[in-house]
Amino acid sequence: MPLRNRPPAIETSALTGAKTFEHVSDAALAVVAWLNANRVDYVVVGPVARIVHGDSSARGPLAIVPAPYGRNLDRLVRALGAARARTRLPGEATGSAGESPLAESHPVRLSPERLLDPERLTLRCGSHDLDIEGQPAGVPRYQELLYEAAKVGLAPEITAEIAGVADVAHFEHLRRTGVPPEIRVSRAVRSPAGAVVEASAAGAARAPAAPSPLRRG
């Protein structure tokens, strides 16, 4: 591939200036900058979003939900291919920077359709990790996430759309349990005979979460 047509690479060394959120790793910031340079549209969920919402103990790779339209997925597939993305092994530990350069990984064949699978893709691009969240039934879709998201400056000239706190909690529940959260709504109703009975309904919903300090600008 001619150099002029090659997608931008992940460059940790290109990061300059102070971080806005000190607990966001340089590795995660480098992946954000790389996605932006490749003109990929996405919303951040997972550990980085939790840090932005005030959970300084959160650790792990950048996790995203990409916009599902064709050209965006094509750009992401092309960028991942140029970065020689591979699949991280299940349960593989990551370092304090959210990466583990020496850990084993497997080749993966990516396509726009594969990026929309229900299962999460856990990828390694060189020494950097990226999770692409799956889209099983019951999870918020990209447009829903974007509606509640806020564009946040993570470092000078590095911004990302960060999912709302309830959506971040939803994906965290999915990550822990493998199923979307479910809530049960009940209300007291009076029967024709005058007795009070309970009516209830269950369904998938966004997980409840504490208010976030983040506000849409």
Side-chain angles (χ1 to χ4, degrees):
M1 180 186 298
L3 288 177
R4 66 178 179 275
N5 295 326
R6 185 171 297 171
I10 304 175
E11 297 182 9
T12 304
S13 60
L15 301 177
T16 58
K19 302 176 192 176
T20 308
F21 298 92
E22 62 177 346
H23 296 290
V24 177
S25 70
D26 288 345
L29 288 176
V31 177
V32 170
W34 168 70
L35 290 170
N36 295 348
N38 281 281
R39 298 182 296 118
V40 175
D41 294 330
Y42 60 94
V43 174
V44 175
V45 294
V48 171
R50 288 169 55 200
I51 290 172
V52 172
H53 285 298
D55 182 1
S56 60
S57 67
R59 295 291 184 274
L62 181 75
I64 67 168
V65 175
Y69 58 88
R71 281 186 292 182
N72 188 64
L73 297 176
D74 287 340
R75 287 194 288 265
L76 180 52
V77 168
R78 186 166 177 259
L80 291 168
R84 299 185 179 180
R86 298 169 67 86
T87 301
R88 298 196 318 273
L89 292 179
E92 185 176 74
T94 55
S96 59
E99 60 187 62
S100 181
L102 301 180
E104 186 179 353
S105 56
H106 292 312
V108 60
R109 178 172 295 180
L110 295 173
S111 66
E113 295 75 21
R114 180 75 186 277
L115 299 181
L116 298 177
D117 278 355
E119 298 296 324
R120 179 187 307 113
L121 284 171
T122 56
L123 303 175
R124 170 150 297 143
C125 303
S127 62
H128 294 79
D129 292 345
L130 172 66
D131 288 354
I132 299 177
E133 290 292 345
Q135 295 288 289
V139 302
R141 300 305 180 185
Y142 171 79
Q143 288 297 338
E144 296 175 284
L145 294 172
L146 188 62
Y147 182 80
E148 298 291 341
K151 181 170 285 189
V152 175
L154 302 175
E157 301 183 5
I158 300 178
T159 64
E161 292 283 356
I162 305 296
V165 64
D167 290 326
V168 173
H170 189 124
F171 278 95
E172 179 63 20
H173 180 93
L174 179 65
R175 183 178 289 261
R176 289 197 317 266
T177 67
V179 295
E182 182 179 276
I183 61 172
R184 182 173 294 274
V185 178
S186 63
R187 60 188 178 89
V189 296
R190 191 171 296 277
S191 71
V196 174
V197 297
E198 185 180 83
S200 64
R206 294 177 181 177
S212 166
L214 183 63
R215 292 291 183 271
R216 176 178 287 277

